[in-house]
Amino acid sequence: MTEAATTTLDRAAVEAVDPSGQAEDILGMPEHLRDALWRVESAGLEPHDAPGGLVVAGMGGSAIGGALARSALGDRATRPIAVSRSYELPGWTTADTMVLCASYSGDTEETLACYEAAGAVGALRTVVTTGGRLAELAREDGVPVIPLPGGFHPRAAVGYLTVAALDVAALCGAGDSVRAEVDVTADHVERLVAEWGPDGPEDSLPKSLARGLSDTVPQIAGVGLTSAVAYRWKCQINENSKLPAFAHELPELDHNEIVGWSGAPDLARFSAVFLDDADLHPRARQRIELTRALIEPAAASTFVVQTQGESATERLLSLVLLGDLVSLYLAVLRGVDPGPVEAIERLKEELARE
Ligand code: F6R
Protein backbone atom coordinates (compact mmCIF):
# COMPACT_ATOMS: atom_id res chain seq x y z
CA MET A 1 0.00 0.00 0.00
CA THR A 2 1.33 3.50 -0.84
CA GLU A 3 1.91 6.07 1.87
CA ALA A 4 -0.89 8.26 0.44
CA ALA A 5 -3.38 5.41 0.77
CA THR A 6 -2.82 5.21 4.51
CA THR A 7 -2.34 8.92 5.35
CA THR A 8 -5.22 10.35 7.35
CA LEU A 9 -6.79 13.53 5.96
CA ASP A 10 -8.63 14.67 9.08
CA ARG A 11 -8.67 18.13 10.64
CA ALA A 12 -5.47 17.58 12.65
CA ALA A 13 -3.59 16.47 9.51
CA VAL A 14 -4.82 19.53 7.60
CA GLU A 15 -4.00 21.95 10.41
CA ALA A 16 -0.48 20.55 10.64
CA VAL A 17 0.41 21.91 7.17
CA ASP A 18 -2.01 24.84 6.96
CA PRO A 19 -0.98 27.61 9.39
CA SER A 20 -2.72 30.33 7.36
CA GLY A 21 -6.09 28.52 7.37
CA GLN A 22 -6.62 27.84 3.65
CA ALA A 23 -8.94 24.98 4.62
CA GLU A 24 -11.27 27.36 6.45
CA ASP A 25 -11.32 29.69 3.46
CA ILE A 26 -12.24 26.83 1.11
CA LEU A 27 -14.91 25.52 3.49
CA GLY A 28 -16.24 29.08 3.85
CA MET A 29 -17.63 29.11 0.30
CA PRO A 30 -21.33 29.00 1.37
CA GLU A 31 -20.84 32.02 3.62
CA HIS A 32 -18.82 33.83 0.92
CA LEU A 33 -21.69 33.38 -1.56
CA ARG A 34 -24.24 34.81 0.89
CA ASP A 35 -21.96 37.67 1.92
CA ALA A 36 -21.20 38.42 -1.75
CA LEU A 37 -24.92 38.78 -2.52
CA TRP A 38 -25.19 41.23 0.34
CA ARG A 39 -22.07 43.18 -0.67
CA VAL A 40 -23.16 43.55 -4.28
CA GLU A 41 -26.60 44.68 -3.10
CA SER A 42 -25.06 47.17 -0.67
CA ALA A 43 -22.78 48.60 -3.37
CA GLY A 44 -25.99 50.01 -4.88
CA LEU A 45 -24.91 49.52 -8.50
CA GLU A 46 -27.27 51.06 -11.03
CA PRO A 47 -28.39 49.00 -14.05
CA HIS A 48 -26.46 50.16 -17.12
CA ASP A 49 -27.48 48.68 -20.42
CA ALA A 50 -24.39 47.53 -22.36
CA PRO A 51 -25.45 46.34 -25.83
CA GLY A 52 -21.78 45.47 -26.50
CA GLY A 53 -21.72 42.84 -23.75
CA LEU A 54 -19.42 42.26 -20.80
CA VAL A 55 -15.66 41.87 -20.53
CA VAL A 56 -14.27 40.67 -17.21
CA ALA A 57 -10.65 41.81 -17.00
CA GLY A 58 -8.47 40.13 -14.39
CA MET A 59 -5.71 37.63 -13.77
CA GLY A 60 -5.44 34.28 -12.02
CA GLY A 61 -7.66 33.93 -8.98
CA SER A 62 -9.42 37.19 -9.82
CA ALA A 63 -10.24 36.19 -13.41
CA ILE A 64 -11.72 32.80 -12.62
CA GLY A 65 -14.93 34.34 -11.22
CA GLY A 66 -15.66 35.83 -14.65
CA ALA A 67 -15.05 32.51 -16.39
CA LEU A 68 -17.26 30.64 -13.90
CA ALA A 69 -20.01 33.25 -14.19
CA ARG A 70 -19.99 32.89 -17.98
CA SER A 71 -20.31 29.09 -17.59
CA ALA A 72 -23.09 29.36 -14.99
CA LEU A 73 -25.09 31.60 -17.32
CA GLY A 74 -24.44 29.35 -20.34
CA ASP A 75 -27.19 29.87 -22.89
CA ARG A 76 -28.93 32.29 -20.52
CA ALA A 77 -26.32 34.85 -21.60
CA THR A 78 -28.03 37.27 -23.95
CA ARG A 79 -24.90 39.17 -24.99
CA PRO A 80 -21.22 38.26 -25.39
CA ILE A 81 -19.35 37.69 -22.13
CA ALA A 82 -15.57 37.53 -22.45
CA VAL A 83 -12.75 37.10 -19.97
CA SER A 84 -9.59 39.09 -20.69
CA ARG A 85 -6.50 37.72 -18.98
CA SER A 86 -3.93 40.11 -20.43
CA TYR A 87 -2.84 43.76 -20.67
CA GLU A 88 -5.36 44.38 -23.42
CA LEU A 89 -9.10 44.31 -23.92
CA PRO A 90 -10.65 42.57 -26.92
CA GLY A 91 -10.51 44.79 -30.02
CA TRP A 92 -14.30 44.93 -30.14
CA THR A 93 -14.57 46.74 -26.75
CA THR A 94 -16.44 50.03 -27.30
CA ALA A 95 -18.38 52.62 -25.32
CA ASP A 96 -21.27 50.11 -25.43
CA THR A 97 -19.31 47.45 -23.51
CA MET A 98 -19.27 46.95 -19.74
CA VAL A 99 -15.76 46.17 -18.44
CA LEU A 100 -15.60 44.64 -14.97
CA CYS A 101 -12.05 45.07 -13.67
CA ALA A 102 -11.48 42.35 -11.07
CA SER A 103 -8.38 42.38 -8.91
CA TYR A 104 -8.35 41.12 -5.35
CA SER A 105 -5.29 43.20 -4.39
CA GLY A 106 -6.15 46.07 -6.73
CA ASP A 107 -2.50 46.27 -7.76
CA THR A 108 -2.22 43.79 -10.62
CA GLU A 109 -0.59 45.59 -13.53
CA GLU A 110 -2.44 43.76 -16.32
CA THR A 111 -5.82 44.62 -14.74
CA LEU A 112 -4.78 48.24 -14.17
CA ALA A 113 -3.81 48.43 -17.87
CA CYS A 114 -7.27 47.10 -18.84
CA TYR A 115 -8.93 49.63 -16.53
CA GLU A 116 -7.09 52.43 -18.36
CA ALA A 117 -7.81 50.89 -21.77
CA ALA A 118 -11.53 50.68 -20.93
CA GLY A 119 -11.47 54.35 -19.91
CA ALA A 120 -9.71 55.30 -23.15
CA VAL A 121 -12.48 53.79 -25.30
CA GLY A 122 -15.17 55.24 -23.05
CA ALA A 123 -16.47 51.83 -21.96
CA LEU A 124 -18.73 51.47 -18.93
CA ARG A 125 -16.60 50.35 -16.00
CA THR A 126 -17.15 48.58 -12.69
CA VAL A 127 -14.43 47.49 -10.27
CA VAL A 128 -14.34 44.60 -7.80
CA THR A 129 -11.43 44.73 -5.36
CA THR A 130 -10.26 45.02 -1.76
CA GLY A 131 -8.44 48.31 -2.46
CA GLY A 132 -5.02 49.10 -3.95
CA ARG A 133 -4.42 51.39 -6.91
CA LEU A 134 -7.54 50.10 -8.69
CA ALA A 135 -9.80 51.33 -5.87
CA GLU A 136 -7.98 54.69 -5.82
CA LEU A 137 -8.45 55.18 -9.56
CA ALA A 138 -12.09 54.12 -9.41
CA ARG A 139 -12.74 56.59 -6.61
CA GLU A 140 -11.08 59.42 -8.59
CA ASP A 141 -13.07 58.54 -11.73
CA GLY A 142 -16.40 57.96 -10.00
CA VAL A 143 -16.43 54.30 -11.13
CA PRO A 144 -18.61 52.01 -8.96
CA VAL A 145 -16.69 49.61 -6.71
CA ILE A 146 -17.88 46.26 -5.32
CA PRO A 147 -15.80 45.95 -2.13
CA LEU A 148 -14.26 42.57 -1.29
CA PRO A 149 -13.32 41.54 2.26
CA GLY A 150 -9.57 41.50 2.98
CA GLY A 151 -7.47 38.72 4.46
CA PHE A 152 -7.83 36.03 1.78
CA HIS A 153 -5.49 34.76 -0.87
CA PRO A 154 -7.17 36.02 -4.08
CA ARG A 155 -7.95 32.47 -5.24
CA ALA A 156 -9.91 31.83 -2.03
CA ALA A 157 -12.32 34.68 -2.87
CA VAL A 158 -13.73 32.69 -5.81
CA GLY A 159 -17.30 32.76 -4.44
CA TYR A 160 -17.20 36.55 -4.12
CA LEU A 161 -15.71 37.10 -7.57
CA THR A 162 -18.19 34.75 -9.26
CA VAL A 163 -21.20 36.46 -7.66
CA ALA A 164 -19.82 39.91 -8.56
CA ALA A 165 -19.45 38.91 -12.23
CA LEU A 166 -22.93 37.32 -12.29
CA ASP A 167 -24.50 40.44 -10.85
CA VAL A 168 -22.70 42.83 -13.16
CA ALA A 169 -23.74 40.62 -16.12
CA ALA A 170 -27.38 40.98 -15.05
CA LEU A 171 -27.07 44.73 -14.44
CA CYS A 172 -25.64 45.38 -17.91
CA GLY A 173 -28.16 43.17 -19.68
CA ALA A 174 -25.72 40.38 -20.59
CA GLY A 175 -27.60 37.66 -18.72
CA ASP A 176 -30.51 36.77 -16.46
CA SER A 177 -30.24 37.57 -12.77
CA VAL A 178 -29.37 34.37 -10.89
CA ARG A 179 -29.39 35.81 -7.35
CA ALA A 180 -32.03 33.34 -6.17
CA GLU A 181 -30.01 30.50 -7.70
CA VAL A 182 -26.88 31.64 -5.87
CA ASP A 183 -28.80 31.72 -2.58
CA VAL A 184 -29.99 28.12 -3.05
CA THR A 185 -26.46 27.14 -4.15
CA ALA A 186 -25.05 28.39 -0.83
CA ASP A 187 -27.22 25.82 1.03
CA HIS A 188 -26.27 23.07 -1.41
CA VAL A 189 -22.55 23.81 -1.05
CA GLU A 190 -22.95 23.87 2.73
CA ARG A 191 -24.16 20.25 2.67
CA LEU A 192 -21.17 19.27 0.49
CA VAL A 193 -18.78 21.06 2.85
CA ALA A 194 -19.98 18.82 5.71
CA GLU A 195 -19.59 15.67 3.61
CA TRP A 196 -16.28 16.51 1.90
CA GLY A 197 -14.46 18.62 4.52
CA PRO A 198 -11.72 17.30 6.83
CA ASP A 199 -14.33 16.20 9.42
CA GLY A 200 -16.08 14.06 6.79
CA PRO A 201 -15.34 10.36 6.25
CA GLU A 202 -11.86 9.24 5.20
CA ASP A 203 -13.30 7.67 2.03
CA SER A 204 -15.12 10.85 0.92
CA LEU A 205 -14.84 11.79 -2.75
CA PRO A 206 -12.16 14.52 -2.47
CA LYS A 207 -10.02 12.53 -0.06
CA SER A 208 -10.17 9.44 -2.31
CA LEU A 209 -9.40 11.52 -5.39
CA ALA A 210 -6.42 13.18 -3.73
CA ARG A 211 -5.03 9.75 -2.81
CA GLY A 212 -5.58 8.54 -6.38
CA LEU A 213 -3.85 11.60 -7.88
CA SER A 214 -0.98 11.59 -5.42
CA ASP A 215 2.48 11.20 -7.10
CA THR A 216 1.06 11.91 -10.55
CA VAL A 217 0.82 14.89 -12.91
CA PRO A 218 -2.94 15.53 -13.16
CA GLN A 219 -4.58 16.36 -16.51
CA ILE A 220 -8.01 17.82 -15.90
CA ALA A 221 -10.56 17.63 -18.72
CA GLY A 222 -13.69 19.75 -18.73
CA VAL A 223 -16.52 20.01 -21.22
CA GLY A 224 -19.27 22.61 -21.60
CA LEU A 225 -20.27 23.79 -18.14
CA THR A 226 -17.19 22.20 -16.59
CA SER A 227 -14.47 23.66 -18.87
CA ALA A 228 -13.85 26.69 -16.67
CA VAL A 229 -13.90 24.39 -13.63
CA ALA A 230 -11.16 22.21 -15.16
CA TYR A 231 -8.97 25.31 -15.37
CA ARG A 232 -9.81 26.15 -11.75
CA TRP A 233 -8.73 22.63 -10.67
CA LYS A 234 -5.45 23.02 -12.55
CA CYS A 235 -4.72 26.41 -10.95
CA GLN A 236 -5.64 25.21 -7.45
CA ILE A 237 -3.41 22.14 -7.81
CA ASN A 238 -0.59 24.44 -9.01
CA GLU A 239 -1.00 26.96 -6.19
CA ASN A 240 -2.25 24.93 -3.22
CA SER A 241 -0.54 21.56 -3.86
CA LYS A 242 2.54 23.11 -5.53
CA LEU A 243 2.38 20.65 -8.42
CA PRO A 244 2.33 20.82 -12.20
CA ALA A 245 -1.15 20.14 -13.58
CA PHE A 246 -2.80 20.83 -16.91
CA ALA A 247 -6.33 21.48 -18.12
CA HIS A 248 -7.93 20.88 -21.48
CA GLU A 249 -11.44 20.48 -22.81
CA LEU A 250 -13.49 17.99 -24.73
CA PRO A 251 -14.25 17.53 -27.56
CA GLU A 252 -11.10 19.47 -28.59
CA LEU A 253 -8.66 17.22 -26.71
CA ASP A 254 -9.91 14.25 -28.72
CA HIS A 255 -8.28 15.90 -31.72
CA ASN A 256 -4.75 16.28 -30.31
CA GLU A 257 -3.99 15.53 -26.63
CA ILE A 258 -5.35 12.01 -26.88
CA VAL A 259 -2.43 11.11 -29.21
CA GLY A 260 0.18 12.53 -26.83
CA TRP A 261 -0.91 10.15 -24.08
CA SER A 262 0.92 7.28 -25.80
CA GLY A 263 4.26 8.90 -24.82
CA ALA A 264 3.20 9.73 -21.26
CA PRO A 265 4.61 6.60 -19.54
CA ASP A 266 8.09 7.40 -20.96
CA LEU A 267 8.11 10.72 -19.12
CA ALA A 268 6.19 10.60 -15.84
CA ARG A 269 3.12 9.27 -14.07
CA PHE A 270 0.23 11.23 -15.59
CA SER A 271 -3.34 10.95 -14.32
CA ALA A 272 -6.62 12.17 -15.83
CA VAL A 273 -9.77 13.57 -14.26
CA PHE A 274 -12.84 14.09 -16.46
CA LEU A 275 -15.41 16.57 -15.14
CA ASP A 276 -18.81 15.26 -16.21
CA ASP A 277 -22.21 16.96 -16.02
CA ALA A 278 -25.64 15.37 -16.52
CA ASP A 279 -26.67 18.20 -18.83
CA LEU A 280 -23.87 17.71 -21.38
CA HIS A 281 -24.46 17.01 -25.05
CA PRO A 282 -25.00 13.22 -25.24
CA ARG A 283 -22.09 12.82 -27.68
CA ALA A 284 -19.81 14.73 -25.27
CA ARG A 285 -20.69 12.25 -22.52
CA GLN A 286 -19.92 9.33 -24.82
CA ARG A 287 -16.57 10.94 -25.54
CA ILE A 288 -15.68 11.00 -21.84
CA GLU A 289 -16.04 7.22 -21.57
CA LEU A 290 -14.33 6.49 -24.92
CA THR A 291 -11.44 8.89 -24.22
CA ARG A 292 -10.93 7.48 -20.76
CA ALA A 293 -10.78 3.92 -22.11
CA LEU A 294 -8.27 4.93 -24.80
CA ILE A 295 -5.82 6.70 -22.49
CA GLU A 296 -6.20 4.32 -19.54
CA PRO A 297 -3.28 2.03 -20.46
CA ALA A 298 -0.91 5.04 -20.48
CA ALA A 299 -2.30 6.74 -17.35
CA ALA A 300 -1.26 6.17 -13.73
CA SER A 301 -4.94 6.62 -12.81
CA THR A 302 -8.14 7.98 -14.37
CA PHE A 303 -11.32 9.33 -12.79
CA VAL A 304 -14.69 10.64 -13.91
CA VAL A 305 -16.47 12.92 -11.45
CA GLN A 306 -19.98 14.29 -11.75
CA THR A 307 -21.37 17.70 -10.94
CA GLN A 308 -23.91 17.59 -8.13
CA GLY A 309 -27.08 19.66 -7.79
CA GLU A 310 -29.98 21.00 -9.83
CA SER A 311 -29.24 24.45 -11.24
CA ALA A 312 -26.19 25.27 -13.37
CA THR A 313 -24.73 27.38 -10.54
CA GLU A 314 -25.14 24.54 -8.02
CA ARG A 315 -23.56 22.02 -10.36
CA LEU A 316 -20.71 24.32 -11.31
CA LEU A 317 -19.80 25.34 -7.77
CA SER A 318 -20.11 21.76 -6.47
CA LEU A 319 -17.15 20.87 -8.70
CA VAL A 320 -15.24 24.04 -7.80
CA LEU A 321 -15.50 23.04 -4.13
CA LEU A 322 -14.47 19.48 -4.97
CA GLY A 323 -11.36 20.65 -6.85
CA ASP A 324 -10.41 23.11 -4.12
CA LEU A 325 -10.60 20.32 -1.54
CA VAL A 326 -8.68 17.86 -3.73
CA SER A 327 -5.89 20.45 -4.05
CA LEU A 328 -5.91 20.98 -0.28
CA TYR A 329 -5.72 17.24 0.48
CA LEU A 330 -2.96 16.81 -2.11
CA ALA A 331 -1.01 19.49 -0.22
CA VAL A 332 -1.54 17.54 3.02
CA LEU A 333 -0.37 14.28 1.40
CA ARG A 334 2.75 16.09 0.18
CA GLY A 335 3.33 17.81 3.52
CA VAL A 336 3.32 21.28 1.88
CA ASP A 337 1.70 24.48 3.13
CA PRO A 338 -1.17 25.28 0.72
CA GLY A 339 -1.00 29.02 1.47
CA PRO A 340 2.12 30.74 0.12
CA VAL A 341 2.64 31.30 -3.61
CA GLU A 342 6.23 32.53 -3.46
CA ALA A 343 6.99 32.24 -7.18
CA ILE A 344 4.04 34.51 -8.08
CA GLU A 345 5.13 37.09 -5.52
CA ARG A 346 8.77 36.97 -6.62
CA LEU A 347 7.81 37.49 -10.20
CA LYS A 348 5.64 40.49 -9.32
CA GLU A 349 8.46 41.99 -7.24
CA GLU A 350 10.99 41.53 -10.02
CA LEU A 351 8.66 43.11 -12.58
CA ALA A 352 8.05 46.03 -10.24
CA ARG A 353 11.84 46.63 -10.10
CA GLU A 354 12.22 46.74 -13.91
C1 F6R B 1 -3.16 34.15 -5.64
C2 F6R B 1 -3.69 33.93 -6.98
C3 F6R B 1 -3.15 34.73 -8.13
C4 F6R B 1 -3.68 36.18 -8.17
C5 F6R B 1 -3.13 36.92 -9.39
C6 F6R B 1 -3.72 38.31 -9.58
O1 F6R B 1 -3.96 33.48 -4.68
O2 F6R B 1 -4.52 33.11 -7.15
O3 F6R B 1 -3.49 34.05 -9.31
O4 F6R B 1 -5.09 36.15 -8.20
O5 F6R B 1 -1.75 37.01 -9.29
O6 F6R B 1 -3.66 39.06 -8.41
P1 F6R B 1 -4.98 39.81 -7.91
O7 F6R B 1 -6.00 38.74 -7.72
O8 F6R B 1 -4.60 40.50 -6.65
O9 F6R B 1 -5.35 40.77 -9.01
Side-chain angles (χ1 to χ4, degrees), residues 53-353:
L54 169 66
V55 177
V56 181
M59 301 304 302
S62 288
I64 193 70
L68 293 170
R70 183 175 55 185
S71 298
L73 287 172
D75 56 17
R76 293 177 292 179
T78 45
R79 286 171 179 161
I81 300 178
V83 181
S84 173
R85 293 175 169 107
S86 76
Y87 289 93
E88 281 144 21
L89 295 171
W92 45 261
T93 309
T94 66
D96 280 343
T97 314
M98 169 64 78
V99 179
L100 172 63
C101 297
S103 171
Y104 186 81
S105 62
D107 286 321
T108 297
E109 63 177 39
E110 297 93 319
T111 316
L112 289 167
C114 286
Y115 176 88
E116 298 292 357
V121 295
L124 300 159
R125 290 183 288 186
T126 306
V127 158
V128 55
T129 187
T130 55
R133 181 79 187 125
L134 192 57
E136 270 170 31
L137 289 170
R139 228 171 281 128
E140 281 164 28
D141 298 337
V143 167
V145 177
I146 302 170
L148 293 171
F152 293 114
H153 279 288
R155 60 190 184 279
V158 62
Y160 285 99
L161 288 150
T162 305
V163 171
L166 284 169
D167 234 68
V168 172
L171 286 167
C172 74
D176 295 346
S177 170
V178 292
R179 294 188 129 253
E181 199 169 297
V182 171
D183 207 30
V184 175
T185 298
D187 295 342
H188 175 65
V189 173
E190 193 152 41
R191 288 189 288 275
L192 295 175
V193 160
E195 188 183 329
W196 290 346
D199 299 329
E202 278 303 305
D203 62 352
S204 71
L205 184 57
K207 291 183 184 179
S208 305
L209 275 169
R211 292 195 178 95
L213 295 175
S214 160
D215 294 324
T216 71
V217 182
Q219 316 289 304
I220 317 296
V223 42
L225 179 79
T226 69
S227 284
V229 190
Y231 189 66
R232 168 72 177 179
W233 277 53
K234 169 214 135 52
C235 297
Q236 290 293 80
I237 294 171
N238 295 152
E239 294 179 64
N240 290 342
S241 329
K242 279 73 180 168
L243 283 172
F246 301 91
H248 204 347
E249 61 183 346
L250 281 163
E252 174 66 11
L253 77 82
D254 279 351
H255 300 271
N256 36 65
E257 190 174 287
I258 194 170
V259 184
W261 272 93
S262 65
D266 303 338
L267 301 177
R269 287 164 48 79
F270 288 86
S271 57
V273 183
F274 296 89
L275 305 183
D276 193 3
D277 176 51
D279 208 30
L280 292 180
H281 190 289
R283 296 292 283 171
R285 301 201 79 191
Q286 277 175 340
R287 279 177 185 273
I288 290 181
E289 283 315 322
L290 288 171
T291 309
R292 180 187 193 178
L294 269 165
I295 65 162
E296 208 145 41
S301 53
T302 64
F303 303 90
V304 179
V305 296
Q306 314 287 336
T307 55
Q308 304 206 8
E310 297 296 322
S311 70
T313 309
E314 278 183 337
R315 301 195 321 272
L316 184 89
L317 292 181
S318 71
L319 276 197
V320 171
L321 177 71
L322 182 65
D324 285 11
L325 285 168
V326 167
S327 70
L328 172 76
Y329 294 137
L330 270 171
V332 178
L333 292 174
R334 286 171 39 70
V336 300
D337 181 348
V341 283
E342 277 155 27
I344 297 178
E345 274 148 28
R346 255 196 57 204
L347 190 105
K348 287 183 181 179
E349 277 162 26
E350 285 184 17
L351 270 170
R353 267 201 293 275

